[in-house]
Amino acid sequence: MRDPASKPPFDPSIQVSPNNPCPFLRGLVGEGFVDGGTVPLGTLSQTIANASGETGPKKAFARLQVRGVALIANGISHILKSIFSGAQLDALRGGPLDKLGAGSRILGVDGKVNEDEIARLASFGRPYTDPSDGRSETGLNASEIGIFMRDNLKRAGSAARWYYPLLMKFEWPILLKIMGKDTKDDRYLSIADVRTLFNERKFPVSINQRLVSQPVLSACQRTVRGALKLAALLIALGLVALVAVAEFPNQVRAMLPQNGMLAQLLPPPLPKLPETTAAFWLEQNWSLKDRHWFHHASQGTATFPVPYSWFIALEQPRLHLITQPGMLKDSAYLERFGFIPSPQSIQTDASTLRNFGYANAYETTQVADWSTRWTPVENVDGLPVGFARMTGVVDPATGRREDDKIGLTCAACHTGQIHYQGIDVRFDGGPAMTDLRKLELATGLSIAYTLYVPFRFQRFADRVLGSEASKADRDALKQKLSAIGKFLVDWQNKYDDTIKHKQTWDKKVQKDTEEGFGRLDALNRIGNQVFSQDLALSGVNGFEKNLHAQDAPVSYPAIWTVPWFKFAQYDASIEQPLIRNAGEALGVTALLNLSDAYPEDRLWRSSVHINTLGWIEDMLRGPDPFKAAEPKFGGLLAPQWPSQILGDAWRIDAKRAEKGRAIYTEMCSGCHLPAVNTSAFWSSGHWEASGDSKVLNAVTIPLDEIKTDPEQSLVLGNRIVDVPGFLKVNTADLKNWWQCDTSTASSPTEMVYALGLMTVVDLVARKWMDDANTPDAERAKLWNLARKNCPNTAPGPRYRARPLNGIWATAPYLHNGSVPSLYWLLKPQNERPQKFCMGHRDYDPVTVGFAVAADERCKTGETQFSMTGPDGQPIQGNSVLGHSFERKEGEPKRPGVIGRMFKDDDERYDLIEYLKTL
């Protein structure tokens, strides 16, 4: 039986949109089988399946294929519209199936046929005998069509995209299958039929017969077919979703609500790595061995929630349809989070060292090794700078030997790099350009994918246990990994729920501020770790209340010459170097016992390597500058402006710099002091006696005067923490231990965060020294007893103004990284950019920092710093104001304005030129 209404009379007047570039679909429209606009997927798939001549399961599979292709034909953003409305045949031009000139070029964008291109198609064929009438005609078989399509791609050159070869399987070969003629030896596509299809939009008679001879289905058959269609649609949608997630995860994630569950199941987008042609570590008074030791010496941290061997065995959180994903540990992958590549060892050939930037850029004599005084380190798995393996791990509560752990060191946050026209310039002690939040998310997803993505756990277990491991061992491994994954999910849920119900100092609902590349809310993170998560990990519940939103992110401070500063932090809060460094180690997750379920003498036991922290401080500090014939810093020195490496654009204009020197003396030296290489700096009244030497008590400026973003300066003084009574955290001990002349907490369990942290870290350090039976002389050296663990007695919140040596290497500027370059820092505050992108972008030697374009759009994976949110309201921690040069002559001093307005850009650039020399 046939449906007489299935084929209307041929009407050559039917118009076909030029935006339908597919010859077969144009034929369907021209013959009147489907409309020329939007065609339901069911109608389109059934019509093409009918034309194919297939029957049974093959015909059902053909319908499924057509649906899948039709879903993506108009582009990913139109998939939902295609599902509910159908394929838009008059809008295929420019979609994923349009090869944009890399195809046959027979049909122009105006819908007109190019006969020359049909002749070119024919040139790839040969004579065939028409089986219907025995006449000879030109045609192409499958092999000849393949040669034709490959030549099309070759002709297109760089315009051809990676997926065009896949499209070839859905064009001419299918046309051959449907319209081809069978001979005794081969099947060929007639050039005459192709010409008719393109010019007249008519099919051969055989195709029309197939289309009009389809049987009328019964109600039962239609029901069954409807169910099959639905199943096929669901399968097609699943396949499309799988392909989209596997091949285009960033685009799919961008289409989803960013706070929704689905978006959180996809890996965070990462910027592409810029092409690097050369790399250089700048000379800073450290040997290559010192550098490599600093980059990989463990501080006793277990930052990542899995043992070292498990981390090395985890795969990247990407879905791949055919190939296996790369490893999480791969340096090229971790570099996309902003980390710097590092060799496995410096005991290797010069070529390898040069690839990592360890060539001696200035061909000068290397300084002596500091690191001969302590245990060497290796980087056997080629992890980036700042990753360290902690060996000999002992659980501080139980005393059991643990697997090796993997953690971040201070080098992860305090090692910098700039990129300029393919060259990487690297330096120790500078601000990192990492995004630790994205790394945390990626690690958590890697664990989840290992547990739930088919075949992935099997590969993980093979790497950790060996391919011969028993099922019982594999089950035990999976159970341990599942427990870690569950803890991470539960903890994140607790964090989210707690923050949602807490307020900021100014009575707003707490909310995380995106840290992004180059920023971290270190103070709040340390507080959350020590006063909440460490307690939970010790089995002490109920202290989620101590959690606080990460809403005060700051740029990583430069640490060169910092050991000679009385106060290192932006807010000039902690004087004692060991407390500062051990607090940092606890913040990046050292193991710490805060449990009352074990003997009391195990309290405060930790994995922190106090001796390593002392060695790092020694390396940074160097010899006493006042013991030299002329005072000067040793240890780690600030990096010098790299004009020797980067060419003419980096040459310093000596005349302009000399003009800038006078401007610096007038406008900067009052707070930032004279340049460190001048006698005026070393004779400054800000040097204070400290034991048998001196420390620099740098200028601190009250918040009400400087008016830069307030949040970081308020964290330690405004945040309140609770501690369990059994810990006996008595802040009054600071008076007894250090003779601090300050008030302490009146409650034994509730205290200001600053006092609580100082006391807790003090207890951890003392416990380590007691357990190690550290001699008194060695304790005194580790403590540097002249530097007291006492709060800063200066009234009110404040920010410290450090000397500006190496200032060029610390962009973006202000403590919260809110100003992209020195040029914008010297502009009036209201003229500064309120938004800019951070990630892997080139450094600008003119503005000294990052060049910013108005309304710039961030590239995939970059993070956007923004002063305001989508609602136009200020974002906590992201003010770009304060420290402004805008006072006019005769105008009184006012908060936030620290200097006069510059006369013009020339004067700004004079000062910038001088700042390059510091």
Side-chain angles (χ1 to χ4, degrees), residues 326-342:
M327 304 305 295
L328 188 66
K329 73 175 182 67
D330 289 349
S331 182
Y333 178 66
L334 294 174
E335 286 171 50
R336 297 178 68 187
F337 295 92
F339 291 97
I340 300 172
S342 180

Side-chain angles (χ1 to χ4, degrees), residues 26 91 356 375 494 510 531 574 606 751 755 785 862 903:
R26 292 174 68 82
F356 286 95
T375 307
K494 283 182 182 179
Q510 285 191 19
F531 292 103
I574 296 175
S606 75
M751 59 201 65
L755 291 173
L785 292 174
E862 290 184 334
K903 298 172 185 176

Side-chain angles (χ1 to χ4, degrees), residues 640-912:
Q640 297 298 301
W641 180 258
S643 56
Q644 298 96 324
I645 296 171
L646 296 176
D648 291 342
W650 290 70
R651 303 296 179 199
I652 292 178
D653 185 327
K655 292 182 179 179
R656 172 157 265 180
E658 192 58 33
K659 293 179 184 177
R661 184 192 303 273
I663 301 171
Y664 180 88
T665 300
E666 174 199 351
M667 302 180 68
C668 307
S669 62
C671 294
H672 294 287
L673 304 184
V676 300
N677 60 352
T678 64
S679 59
F681 172 78
W682 295 102
S683 61
S684 166
H686 287 275
W687 285 100
E688 295 181 356
S690 177
D692 62 351
S693 188
K694 298 179 181 179
V695 291
L696 184 72
N697 190 1
V699 174
T700 57
I701 307 175
L703 177 63
D704 288 340
E705 180 181 338
I706 194 70
K707 284 296 182 183
T708 51
D709 190 275
E711 299 308 319
Q712 202 262 356
S713 68
L714 300 174
V715 172
L716 288 173
N718 285 16
R719 184 173 172 178
I720 303 296
V721 295
D722 285 352
V723 294
F726 70 83
L727 288 179
K728 300 177 183 177
V729 178
N730 184 4
T731 60
D733 285 339
L734 297 177
K735 287 187 175 183
N736 299 328
W737 295 332
W738 300 98
Q739 292 75 53
C740 299
D741 188 19
T742 56
S743 59
T744 52
S746 57
S747 167
T749 58
E750 184 178 275
M751 59 201 65
V752 172
Y753 174 30
L755 291 173
L757 182 65
M758 294 167 72
T759 307
V760 163
V761 179
D762 208 315
L763 288 164
V764 169
R766 291 173 186 274
K767 180 61 177 172
W768 184 91
M769 294 180 198
D770 289 343
D771 287 347
N773 295 315
T774 306
D776 289 345
E778 183 63 23
R779 289 184 189 230
K781 183 179 178 182
L782 286 169
W783 278 119
N784 189 357
L785 292 174
R787 308 285 295 277
K788 296 186 175 183
N789 184 22
C790 297
N792 190 339
T793 57
R798 71 207 73 82
Y799 286 118
R800 178 215 63 187
R802 69 158 290 156
L804 297 185
N805 50 325
I807 185 66
W808 69 269
T810 63
Y813 296 99
L814 293 186
H815 71 276
N816 62 339
S818 61
V819 181
S821 67
L822 285 178
Y823 173 80
W824 287 110
L825 185 65
L826 301 180
K827 294 281 281 186
Q829 55 192 337
N830 290 321
E831 297 180 23
R832 294 170 184 162
Q834 294 194 7
K835 296 180 180 180
F836 57 91
C837 304
M838 291 302 298
H840 298 295
R841 57 183 302 173
D842 264 14
Y843 186 95
D844 179 19
V846 177
T847 62
V848 183
F850 302 98
V852 174
D855 301 319
E856 66 180 12
R857 297 185 63 181
C858 298
K859 298 176 184 177
T860 298
E862 290 184 334
T863 54
Q864 184 185 67
F865 173 90
S866 181
M867 180 176 174
T868 56
D871 58 0
Q873 296 300 307
I875 294 177
Q876 195 94 350
N878 279 11
S879 172
V880 307
L881 304 179
H883 194 279
S884 184
F885 297 92
E886 60 179 86
R887 190 168 63 248
K888 298 177 182 177
E889 188 174 354
E891 194 174 48
K893 187 175 181 181
R894 65 181 189 273
V897 178
I898 62 167
R900 66 165 175 84
M901 183 176 290
F902 283 82
K903 298 172 185 176
D904 50 28
D905 273 355
D906 277 344
E907 194 177 27
R908 288 188 184 89
Y909 283 120
D910 287 343
L911 177 56
I912 289 172

